[in-house]
Amino acid sequence: MIIAQTSSKTISVQKSNFKTLNGRVTDQITGETLIGVSIHIKSIKTGTTTNNYGYFSITIPADTATFHIAYMGYQSIDTLINLSLKSTVSFQLKPLQNELNTVVIKGTNIQPIQNSPQMGKINLPISQIQALPKFFGEPDLFKALQTLPGVQQGSEGTSAMLVRGGSPDQNLILLDGAPLYNPSHLLGIFSAFNTYAIKNVDLYKGAFPARYGGRLSSVVDIAMNDGNMNKVQGQFTFGLLASQLTIEGPIKKNKTSFIISGRRTYHDLYMEPILKSTNPDFEKFQLYFYDLNAKIHHKFSDQDHLYLSFYNGQDKLRTKLKQGSINDGPTALGDFGLGWSNTTGAARWNHIFSSKLFANTTLTTSQYKFNTTMTSSIFGSKINVNSDDILNINSGITDYTAKIDFDYLPLPEHSIKIGGSYTLHTFTPGTSLSKQTFNGEILKDENKGSKIKGKEVDLYAEDDWTITNKLKANIGLHASGFNVQGKFYTSLQPRISARYLLPGDWALKASYAKMTQYMHLLASNSISLPTDLWVPATNKVLPQQSSQFALGISRNIFRDQFEFSAEGYFKTMNNIIEYKDGADYVVTSQDNDWENKITTGKGKAYGLELFLQKKTGRLTGWASYALAWTNRKLPEINNGQTFPYKYDRRNTLNLVGVYKLKPGIELSATFVYQSASPFTMATTQFEGISPEQDKQHDRTDKKLDYIESRNNIRIQPTHRLDVGISFIKLKESGKVRTWNISIYNVYNRQNLFYFNIKDYKGNTANLTGNSLLPIMPSVSYSLKF
């Protein structure tokens, strides 16, 4: 049964007899607003989609029309509406029943891919992400995104995202509108998102709409669930590594809802006893993470909704180890700790001013903190003297943002978005606190470091313009300014994305986007870790900038069962930074002199991406392939010569499938392949002889490495196959029980995490390597109630 609630209202006849229909689309069972629902009028070949709050508005040159409302995973409806009598309507879509005797998802006639002017955008249904093979029993959002064309993982098994030749800091990660600066757990192994609390994920890797700014490579726009307006429900999941609990429901039915979701790992509870039993020098071991999501949605009226969102995630690593004692003499203890956390909050109010004007006002805060503590203690000597050396390094970033956005639809051919924001940034690039104590008295106390404040202003305007039936375009302009250390940077960033329908219903799409980023991430050349430092553009360090061109074709094929797209892109990047040779994190953090330890230069990335996706039927999934190049050129690195970026991988292939074998049994598999990435290795060794070594007995066997160029070697491609099977049972009480068995890296591929040079023999270098993630089975239990 489909319910359509309408409010009667007489509207005046506009020029050319245009009439406007507006409203919201929600889930009939939960009351959750639905994002990206297609509202289409077949007779005049026009339509629109709902925004991030389920709101839509459409103006047509007719009094009466049949509206087709469609959304993946829901029953589509067709309804005849007289717009002279009704201008506001609330559509409630019924989910397709996931009963165990239903194994085929039928098509819903959603908007074909060739009808949209947007390119470089992919939406992944959360249900598909949760159906993929699980890593230690955990569905992982970023590992799913890494299987899309143009997106690569960092080191094997990590959740770092590299998009079209960019670095991890060039991704704008938005959680309910608030930026998240370190979206990973457990040193990058897991992403920071509990998928059971997420409603929608959109990835933009090019053709950025003007409303987004501040990053060069991608936008990942994540929307949390709002909470069930009608009844209390939840889901509990127990795995080998972590457990999560999500509960949602009404505070006041059909008026106020809540959702709260928590997740924590507990492997440290059994790892510590094992380590202590195998190594008596272990005093303490901790390695865990947790995250917490919460949200409240209150409906003042059909025109006014309020959303309050909160997220907190924290990781902690600590090892305390005896470093030795002599007889009854003093004992040395080494205590090392790493901790990092993300906290975001958002308050959003959206208001419908009229059938053509929608506004959303947002206040957000985001804080990322990182702390390193190293303590060396000597105690227990015969004269009872205790001493401590303490090094404490802190870094992070804090944002406060106010933003307002308007959606305005003056005519059927135009959909206009305008808005602006103001952000106060506070950067802590590296504050170190060093102490030396003797019997409780401080002998030396040093506190180095300072905070840097920056103020950012952003304004934008964009228009989805239907120029003709064949030609559509999204045209926009993003303007920004950044005030830091008495310097004011400005940037005008034009954006355009267009679609032209070719014969055979193929869409030719082209786009151009300029982006500016007022912050950098100081990262080592080997692996992205939480120890990387966020720093701002300053009066010495310029903002990053990029320009990206893209050209592609797309079409629904094989009776609209598959979406196919092919895109080529070319991107240039200016003012990107890296550490100079020899500089590192600890030194930079301690002396707070990071500006003199970096060098700036240029980057270039280009490639071709193919994407084939099937969204309906017993078998769903996608295949993606990317052929890509990405290079860097910095004057003080590699003698100023161009070198391949550390994540330059020529070929990337991903195959993802979910198959409903029979009622209650679901199979899934993921295959990933990435050609070898470059790294720097000495190709020759020489005898190390100093001028003073004029006598034979003064000679040493010390070898000197000769490195011809940076990232000069490619050794081994990475690939693996993950599989999973889920056993689903619908109980008489209405609860759904799921057992999942997944195997990561089925054929135990030794994808090496890092390499070492063992020795040289003639012109051959012998390497040794380590693989961190061999074949790993996992099992998890989930109960939805």
Side-chain angles (χ1 to χ4, degrees), residues 660-689:
K660 299 181 184 297
L661 179 64
K662 65 178 186 178
I665 299 180
E666 190 172 83
L667 307 176
S668 61
T670 301
F671 174 77
V672 298
Y673 171 88
Q674 293 186 145
S675 55
S677 59
F679 77 100
T680 304
M681 187 182 79
T683 53
T684 309
Q685 279 191 331
F686 298 97
E687 295 287 343
I689 302 176

PDB file of all heavy atoms in Angstrom, residues 660-689:
ATOM      1  N   LYS A 660      22.043 -13.919  -4.630  1.00  0.00           N
ATOM      2  CA  LYS A 660      21.029 -14.516  -3.771  1.00  0.00           C
ATOM      3  C   LYS A 660      20.814 -15.955  -4.250  1.00  0.00           C
ATOM      4  O   LYS A 660      20.054 -16.209  -5.182  1.00  0.00           O
ATOM      5  CB  LYS A 660      19.746 -13.699  -3.827  1.00  0.00           C
ATOM      6  CG  LYS A 660      19.933 -12.272  -3.336  1.00  0.00           C
ATOM      7  CD  LYS A 660      18.634 -11.491  -3.378  1.00  0.00           C
ATOM      8  CE  LYS A 660      18.858 -10.038  -2.983  1.00  0.00           C
ATOM      9  NZ  LYS A 660      19.331  -9.892  -1.596  1.00  0.00           N
ATOM     10  N   LEU A 661      21.523 -16.874  -3.606  1.00  0.00           N
ATOM     11  CA  LEU A 661      21.528 -18.268  -4.040  1.00  0.00           C
ATOM     12  C   LEU A 661      20.146 -18.896  -3.937  1.00  0.00           C
ATOM     13  O   LEU A 661      19.647 -19.508  -4.885  1.00  0.00           O
ATOM     14  CB  LEU A 661      22.543 -19.062  -3.216  1.00  0.00           C
ATOM     15  CG  LEU A 661      22.670 -20.545  -3.528  1.00  0.00           C
ATOM     16  CD1 LEU A 661      23.185 -20.749  -4.944  1.00  0.00           C
ATOM     17  CD2 LEU A 661      23.599 -21.230  -2.515  1.00  0.00           C
ATOM     18  N   LYS A 662      19.529 -18.764  -2.789  1.00  0.00           N
ATOM     19  CA  LYS A 662      18.173 -19.252  -2.561  1.00  0.00           C
ATOM     20  C   LYS A 662      17.646 -18.553  -1.321  1.00  0.00           C
ATOM     21  O   LYS A 662      18.392 -17.823  -0.650  1.00  0.00           O
ATOM     22  CB  LYS A 662      18.161 -20.772  -2.410  1.00  0.00           C
ATOM     23  CG  LYS A 662      18.898 -21.300  -1.198  1.00  0.00           C
ATOM     24  CD  LYS A 662      18.766 -22.821  -1.141  1.00  0.00           C
ATOM     25  CE  LYS A 662      19.376 -23.371   0.136  1.00  0.00           C
ATOM     26  NZ  LYS A 662      19.214 -24.843   0.225  1.00  0.00           N
ATOM     27  N   PRO A 663      16.369 -18.744  -0.985  1.00  0.00           N
ATOM     28  CA  PRO A 663      15.846 -18.046   0.195  1.00  0.00           C
ATOM     29  C   PRO A 663      16.692 -18.297   1.437  1.00  0.00           C
ATOM     30  O   PRO A 663      16.942 -19.437   1.817  1.00  0.00           O
ATOM     31  CB  PRO A 663      14.438 -18.649   0.346  1.00  0.00           C
ATOM     32  CG  PRO A 663      14.051 -19.045  -1.040  1.00  0.00           C
ATOM     33  CD  PRO A 663      15.310 -19.501  -1.698  1.00  0.00           C
ATOM     34  N   GLY A 664      17.180 -17.209   2.012  1.00  0.00           N
ATOM     35  CA  GLY A 664      17.939 -17.301   3.248  1.00  0.00           C
ATOM     36  C   GLY A 664      19.433 -17.471   3.091  1.00  0.00           C
ATOM     37  O   GLY A 664      20.148 -17.480   4.084  1.00  0.00           O
ATOM     38  N   ILE A 665      19.933 -17.588   1.862  1.00  0.00           N
ATOM     39  CA  ILE A 665      21.373 -17.748   1.656  1.00  0.00           C
ATOM     40  C   ILE A 665      21.847 -16.733   0.622  1.00  0.00           C
ATOM     41  O   ILE A 665      21.314 -16.668  -0.487  1.00  0.00           O
ATOM     42  CB  ILE A 665      21.735 -19.174   1.206  1.00  0.00           C
ATOM     43  CG1 ILE A 665      21.311 -20.195   2.271  1.00  0.00           C
ATOM     44  CG2 ILE A 665      23.243 -19.275   0.953  1.00  0.00           C
ATOM     45  CD1 ILE A 665      21.643 -21.619   1.905  1.00  0.00           C
ATOM     46  N   GLU A 666      22.842 -15.953   0.995  1.00  0.00           N
ATOM     47  CA  GLU A 666      23.368 -14.900   0.133  1.00  0.00           C
ATOM     48  C   GLU A 666      24.887 -15.034   0.052  1.00  0.00           C
ATOM     49  O   GLU A 666      25.571 -15.108   1.072  1.00  0.00           O
ATOM     50  CB  GLU A 666      22.985 -13.534   0.707  1.00  0.00           C
ATOM     51  CG  GLU A 666      23.255 -12.352  -0.186  1.00  0.00           C
ATOM     52  CD  GLU A 666      22.676 -11.075   0.393  1.00  0.00           C
ATOM     53  OE1 GLU A 666      23.343 -10.472   1.257  1.00  0.00           O
ATOM     54  OE2 GLU A 666      21.561 -10.693   0.008  1.00  0.00           O
ATOM     55  N   LEU A 667      25.410 -15.073  -1.178  1.00  0.00           N
ATOM     56  CA  LEU A 667      26.838 -15.177  -1.412  1.00  0.00           C
ATOM     57  C   LEU A 667      27.393 -13.831  -1.848  1.00  0.00           C
ATOM     58  O   LEU A 667      26.710 -13.063  -2.515  1.00  0.00           O
ATOM     59  CB  LEU A 667      27.142 -16.225  -2.495  1.00  0.00           C
ATOM     60  CG  LEU A 667      26.543 -17.625  -2.304  1.00  0.00           C
ATOM     61  CD1 LEU A 667      26.873 -18.502  -3.513  1.00  0.00           C
ATOM     62  CD2 LEU A 667      27.074 -18.263  -1.024  1.00  0.00           C
ATOM     63  N   SER A 668      28.651 -13.569  -1.512  1.00  0.00           N
ATOM     64  CA  SER A 668      29.294 -12.324  -1.946  1.00  0.00           C
ATOM     65  C   SER A 668      30.773 -12.578  -2.181  1.00  0.00           C
ATOM     66  O   SER A 668      31.372 -13.481  -1.580  1.00  0.00           O
ATOM     67  CB  SER A 668      29.103 -11.206  -0.918  1.00  0.00           C
ATOM     68  OG  SER A 668      29.684 -11.567   0.326  1.00  0.00           O
ATOM     69  N   ALA A 669      31.355 -11.783  -3.065  1.00  0.00           N
ATOM     70  CA  ALA A 669      32.782 -11.920  -3.362  1.00  0.00           C
ATOM     71  C   ALA A 669      33.322 -10.591  -3.874  1.00  0.00           C
ATOM     72  O   ALA A 669      32.615  -9.825  -4.533  1.00  0.00           O
ATOM     73  CB  ALA A 669      33.025 -13.021  -4.389  1.00  0.00           C
ATOM     74  N   THR A 670      34.578 -10.341  -3.575  1.00  0.00           N
ATOM     75  CA  THR A 670      35.278  -9.147  -4.051  1.00  0.00           C
ATOM     76  C   THR A 670      36.677  -9.550  -4.491  1.00  0.00           C
ATOM     77  O   THR A 670      37.410 -10.190  -3.723  1.00  0.00           O
ATOM     78  CB  THR A 670      35.385  -8.088  -2.942  1.00  0.00           C
ATOM     79  OG1 THR A 670      34.080  -7.719  -2.503  1.00  0.00           O
ATOM     80  CG2 THR A 670      36.094  -6.850  -3.449  1.00  0.00           C
ATOM     81  N   PHE A 671      37.034  -9.176  -5.709  1.00  0.00           N
ATOM     82  CA  PHE A 671      38.393  -9.394  -6.205  1.00  0.00           C
ATOM     83  C   PHE A 671      39.006  -8.040  -6.538  1.00  0.00           C
ATOM     84  O   PHE A 671      38.385  -7.218  -7.222  1.00  0.00           O
ATOM     85  CB  PHE A 671      38.407 -10.277  -7.453  1.00  0.00           C
ATOM     86  CG  PHE A 671      39.772 -10.413  -8.082  1.00  0.00           C
ATOM     87  CD1 PHE A 671      40.711 -11.255  -7.523  1.00  0.00           C
ATOM     88  CD2 PHE A 671      40.122  -9.663  -9.196  1.00  0.00           C
ATOM     89  CE1 PHE A 671      41.979 -11.374  -8.076  1.00  0.00           C
ATOM     90  CE2 PHE A 671      41.379  -9.764  -9.757  1.00  0.00           C
ATOM     91  CZ  PHE A 671      42.322 -10.633  -9.195  1.00  0.00           C
ATOM     92  N   VAL A 672      40.215  -7.799  -6.029  1.00  0.00           N
ATOM     93  CA  VAL A 672      40.894  -6.538  -6.295  1.00  0.00           C
ATOM     94  C   VAL A 672      42.287  -6.829  -6.846  1.00  0.00           C
ATOM     95  O   VAL A 672      42.961  -7.768  -6.412  1.00  0.00           O
ATOM     96  CB  VAL A 672      40.993  -5.662  -5.025  1.00  0.00           C
ATOM     97  CG1 VAL A 672      39.621  -5.300  -4.509  1.00  0.00           C
ATOM     98  CG2 VAL A 672      41.792  -6.359  -3.929  1.00  0.00           C
ATOM     99  N   TYR A 673      42.686  -6.018  -7.807  1.00  0.00           N
ATOM    100  CA  TYR A 673      44.023  -6.127  -8.387  1.00  0.00           C
ATOM    101  C   TYR A 673      44.577  -4.727  -8.595  1.00  0.00           C
ATOM    102  O   TYR A 673      43.885  -3.848  -9.135  1.00  0.00           O
ATOM    103  CB  TYR A 673      43.997  -6.853  -9.728  1.00  0.00           C
ATOM    104  CG  TYR A 673      45.320  -6.791 -10.472  1.00  0.00           C
ATOM    105  CD1 TYR A 673      46.300  -7.740 -10.241  1.00  0.00           C
ATOM    106  CD2 TYR A 673      45.595  -5.761 -11.368  1.00  0.00           C
ATOM    107  CE1 TYR A 673      47.532  -7.681 -10.893  1.00  0.00           C
ATOM    108  CE2 TYR A 673      46.816  -5.681 -12.027  1.00  0.00           C
ATOM    109  CZ  TYR A 673      47.777  -6.647 -11.787  1.00  0.00           C
ATOM    110  OH  TYR A 673      48.986  -6.573 -12.434  1.00  0.00           O
ATOM    111  N   GLN A 674      45.811  -4.497  -8.149  1.00  0.00           N
ATOM    112  CA  GLN A 674      46.506  -3.237  -8.382  1.00  0.00           C
ATOM    113  C   GLN A 674      47.927  -3.548  -8.825  1.00  0.00           C
ATOM    114  O   GLN A 674      48.637  -4.320  -8.155  1.00  0.00           O
ATOM    115  CB  GLN A 674      46.527  -2.371  -7.123  1.00  0.00           C
ATOM    116  CG  GLN A 674      45.166  -1.866  -6.707  1.00  0.00           C
ATOM    117  CD  GLN A 674      45.237  -0.894  -5.543  1.00  0.00           C
ATOM    118  OE1 GLN A 674      44.471   0.048  -5.472  1.00  0.00           O
ATOM    119  NE2 GLN A 674      46.155  -1.105  -4.620  1.00  0.00           N
ATOM    120  N   SER A 675      48.325  -2.971  -9.949  1.00  0.00           N
ATOM    121  CA  SER A 675      49.693  -3.195 -10.398  1.00  0.00           C
ATOM    122  C   SER A 675      50.667  -2.555  -9.425  1.00  0.00           C
ATOM    123  O   SER A 675      50.288  -1.742  -8.568  1.00  0.00           O
ATOM    124  CB  SER A 675      49.885  -2.658 -11.818  1.00  0.00           C
ATOM    125  OG  SER A 675      49.521  -1.300 -11.902  1.00  0.00           O
ATOM    126  N   ALA A 676      51.934  -2.903  -9.560  1.00  0.00           N
ATOM    127  CA  ALA A 676      52.944  -2.536  -8.570  1.00  0.00           C
ATOM    128  C   ALA A 676      53.067  -1.028  -8.417  1.00  0.00           C
ATOM    129  O   ALA A 676      53.096  -0.289  -9.401  1.00  0.00           O
ATOM    130  CB  ALA A 676      54.289  -3.140  -8.953  1.00  0.00           C
ATOM    131  N   SER A 677      53.144  -0.575  -7.184  1.00  0.00           N
ATOM    132  CA  SER A 677      53.384   0.834  -6.901  1.00  0.00           C
ATOM    133  C   SER A 677      54.882   1.055  -6.710  1.00  0.00           C
ATOM    134  O   SER A 677      55.619   0.136  -6.341  1.00  0.00           O
ATOM    135  CB  SER A 677      52.626   1.275  -5.653  1.00  0.00           C
ATOM    136  OG  SER A 677      53.024   0.503  -4.543  1.00  0.00           O
ATOM    137  N   PRO A 678      55.363   2.264  -6.959  1.00  0.00           N
ATOM    138  CA  PRO A 678      56.802   2.512  -6.867  1.00  0.00           C
ATOM    139  C   PRO A 678      57.270   2.764  -5.445  1.00  0.00           C
ATOM    140  O   PRO A 678      56.492   3.155  -4.579  1.00  0.00           O
ATOM    141  CB  PRO A 678      56.976   3.763  -7.724  1.00  0.00           C
ATOM    142  CG  PRO A 678      55.678   4.476  -7.598  1.00  0.00           C
ATOM    143  CD  PRO A 678      54.622   3.429  -7.453  1.00  0.00           C
ATOM    144  N   PHE A 679      58.540   2.491  -5.193  1.00  0.00           N
ATOM    145  CA  PHE A 679      59.173   2.933  -3.958  1.00  0.00           C
ATOM    146  C   PHE A 679      60.654   3.112  -4.231  1.00  0.00           C
ATOM    147  O   PHE A 679      61.191   2.681  -5.249  1.00  0.00           O
ATOM    148  CB  PHE A 679      58.908   1.977  -2.797  1.00  0.00           C
ATOM    149  CG  PHE A 679      59.715   0.718  -2.817  1.00  0.00           C
ATOM    150  CD1 PHE A 679      60.841   0.578  -2.020  1.00  0.00           C
ATOM    151  CD2 PHE A 679      59.353  -0.337  -3.637  1.00  0.00           C
ATOM    152  CE1 PHE A 679      61.579  -0.579  -2.046  1.00  0.00           C
ATOM    153  CE2 PHE A 679      60.080  -1.498  -3.672  1.00  0.00           C
ATOM    154  CZ  PHE A 679      61.207  -1.633  -2.873  1.00  0.00           C
ATOM    155  N   THR A 680      61.322   3.770  -3.307  1.00  0.00           N
ATOM    156  CA  THR A 680      62.704   4.157  -3.515  1.00  0.00           C
ATOM    157  C   THR A 680      63.654   3.089  -2.971  1.00  0.00           C
ATOM    158  O   THR A 680      63.510   2.653  -1.828  1.00  0.00           O
ATOM    159  CB  THR A 680      62.992   5.502  -2.825  1.00  0.00           C
ATOM    160  OG1 THR A 680      62.072   6.470  -3.313  1.00  0.00           O
ATOM    161  CG2 THR A 680      64.407   5.968  -3.105  1.00  0.00           C
ATOM    162  N   MET A 681      64.612   2.680  -3.805  1.00  0.00           N
ATOM    163  CA  MET A 681      65.574   1.668  -3.388  1.00  0.00           C
ATOM    164  C   MET A 681      66.941   1.985  -3.975  1.00  0.00           C
ATOM    165  O   MET A 681      67.063   2.403  -5.131  1.00  0.00           O
ATOM    166  CB  MET A 681      65.119   0.287  -3.855  1.00  0.00           C
ATOM    167  CG  MET A 681      65.971  -0.854  -3.309  1.00  0.00           C
ATOM    168  SD  MET A 681      65.454  -2.466  -3.931  1.00  0.00           S
ATOM    169  CE  MET A 681      66.212  -2.419  -5.562  1.00  0.00           C
ATOM    170  N   ALA A 682      67.964   1.796  -3.179  1.00  0.00           N
ATOM    171  CA  ALA A 682      69.328   1.952  -3.676  1.00  0.00           C
ATOM    172  C   ALA A 682      69.629   0.851  -4.688  1.00  0.00           C
ATOM    173  O   ALA A 682      69.319  -0.322  -4.457  1.00  0.00           O
ATOM    174  CB  ALA A 682      70.317   1.892  -2.520  1.00  0.00           C
ATOM    175  N   THR A 683      70.212   1.215  -5.792  1.00  0.00           N
ATOM    176  CA  THR A 683      70.516   0.243  -6.846  1.00  0.00           C
ATOM    177  C   THR A 683      71.983  -0.184  -6.846  1.00  0.00           C
ATOM    178  O   THR A 683      72.342  -1.153  -7.500  1.00  0.00           O
ATOM    179  CB  THR A 683      70.167   0.834  -8.223  1.00  0.00           C
ATOM    180  OG1 THR A 683      70.822   2.102  -8.370  1.00  0.00           O
ATOM    181  CG2 THR A 683      68.671   1.038  -8.344  1.00  0.00           C
ATOM    182  N   THR A 684      72.825   0.547  -6.117  1.00  0.00           N
ATOM    183  CA  THR A 684      74.254   0.248  -6.097  1.00  0.00           C
ATOM    184  C   THR A 684      74.820   0.574  -4.727  1.00  0.00           C
ATOM    185  O   THR A 684      74.311   1.442  -4.023  1.00  0.00           O
ATOM    186  CB  THR A 684      75.009   1.076  -7.168  1.00  0.00           C
ATOM    187  OG1 THR A 684      74.372   0.921  -8.423  1.00  0.00           O
ATOM    188  CG2 THR A 684      76.462   0.609  -7.284  1.00  0.00           C
ATOM    189  N   GLN A 685      75.889  -0.144  -4.325  1.00  0.00           N
ATOM    190  CA  GLN A 685      76.614   0.168  -3.094  1.00  0.00           C
ATOM    191  C   GLN A 685      78.094   0.389  -3.395  1.00  0.00           C
ATOM    192  O   GLN A 685      78.668  -0.242  -4.288  1.00  0.00           O
ATOM    193  CB  GLN A 685      76.479  -0.973  -2.078  1.00  0.00           C
ATOM    194  CG  GLN A 685      75.178  -0.950  -1.297  1.00  0.00           C
ATOM    195  CD  GLN A 685      75.218  -1.928  -0.133  1.00  0.00           C
ATOM    196  OE1 GLN A 685      75.891  -2.948  -0.180  1.00  0.00           O
ATOM    197  NE2 GLN A 685      74.482  -1.609   0.919  1.00  0.00           N
ATOM    198  N   PHE A 686      78.702   1.328  -2.647  1.00  0.00           N
ATOM    199  CA  PHE A 686      80.128   1.613  -2.784  1.00  0.00           C
ATOM    200  C   PHE A 686      80.805   1.427  -1.436  1.00  0.00           C
ATOM    201  O   PHE A 686      80.168   1.520  -0.380  1.00  0.00           O
ATOM    202  CB  PHE A 686      80.349   3.050  -3.277  1.00  0.00           C
ATOM    203  CG  PHE A 686      79.767   3.333  -4.635  1.00  0.00           C
ATOM    204  CD1 PHE A 686      78.517   3.942  -4.762  1.00  0.00           C
ATOM    205  CD2 PHE A 686      80.466   2.989  -5.780  1.00  0.00           C
ATOM    206  CE1 PHE A 686      77.986   4.209  -6.012  1.00  0.00           C
ATOM    207  CE2 PHE A 686      79.936   3.256  -7.036  1.00  0.00           C
ATOM    208  CZ  PHE A 686      78.700   3.857  -7.158  1.00  0.00           C
ATOM    209  N   GLU A 687      82.126   1.206  -1.491  1.00  0.00           N
ATOM    210  CA  GLU A 687      82.919   1.156  -0.263  1.00  0.00           C
ATOM    211  C   GLU A 687      83.000   2.557   0.338  1.00  0.00           C
ATOM    212  O   GLU A 687      83.234   3.532  -0.374  1.00  0.00           O
ATOM    213  CB  GLU A 687      84.338   0.656  -0.560  1.00  0.00           C
ATOM    214  CG  GLU A 687      84.403  -0.768  -1.061  1.00  0.00           C
ATOM    215  CD  GLU A 687      84.117  -1.778   0.034  1.00  0.00           C
ATOM    216  OE1 GLU A 687      84.193  -1.384   1.215  1.00  0.00           O
ATOM    217  OE2 GLU A 687      83.793  -2.940  -0.276  1.00  0.00           O
ATOM    218  N   GLY A 688      82.770   2.651   1.638  1.00  0.00           N
ATOM    219  CA  GLY A 688      82.865   3.944   2.301  1.00  0.00           C
ATOM    220  C   GLY A 688      84.263   4.190   2.848  1.00  0.00           C
ATOM    221  O   GLY A 688      84.681   3.569   3.832  1.00  0.00           O
ATOM    222  N   ILE A 689      85.023   5.065   2.217  1.00  0.00           N
ATOM    223  CA  ILE A 689      86.399   5.345   2.630  1.00  0.00           C
ATOM    224  C   ILE A 689      86.556   6.849   2.823  1.00  0.00           C
ATOM    225  O   ILE A 689      86.240   7.636   1.935  1.00  0.00           O
ATOM    226  CB  ILE A 689      87.415   4.842   1.578  1.00  0.00           C
ATOM    227  CG1 ILE A 689      87.238   3.330   1.364  1.00  0.00           C
ATOM    228  CG2 ILE A 689      88.832   5.159   2.021  1.00  0.00           C
ATOM    229  CD1 ILE A 689      88.132   2.780   0.274  1.00  0.00           C
TER     230      ILE A 689
END
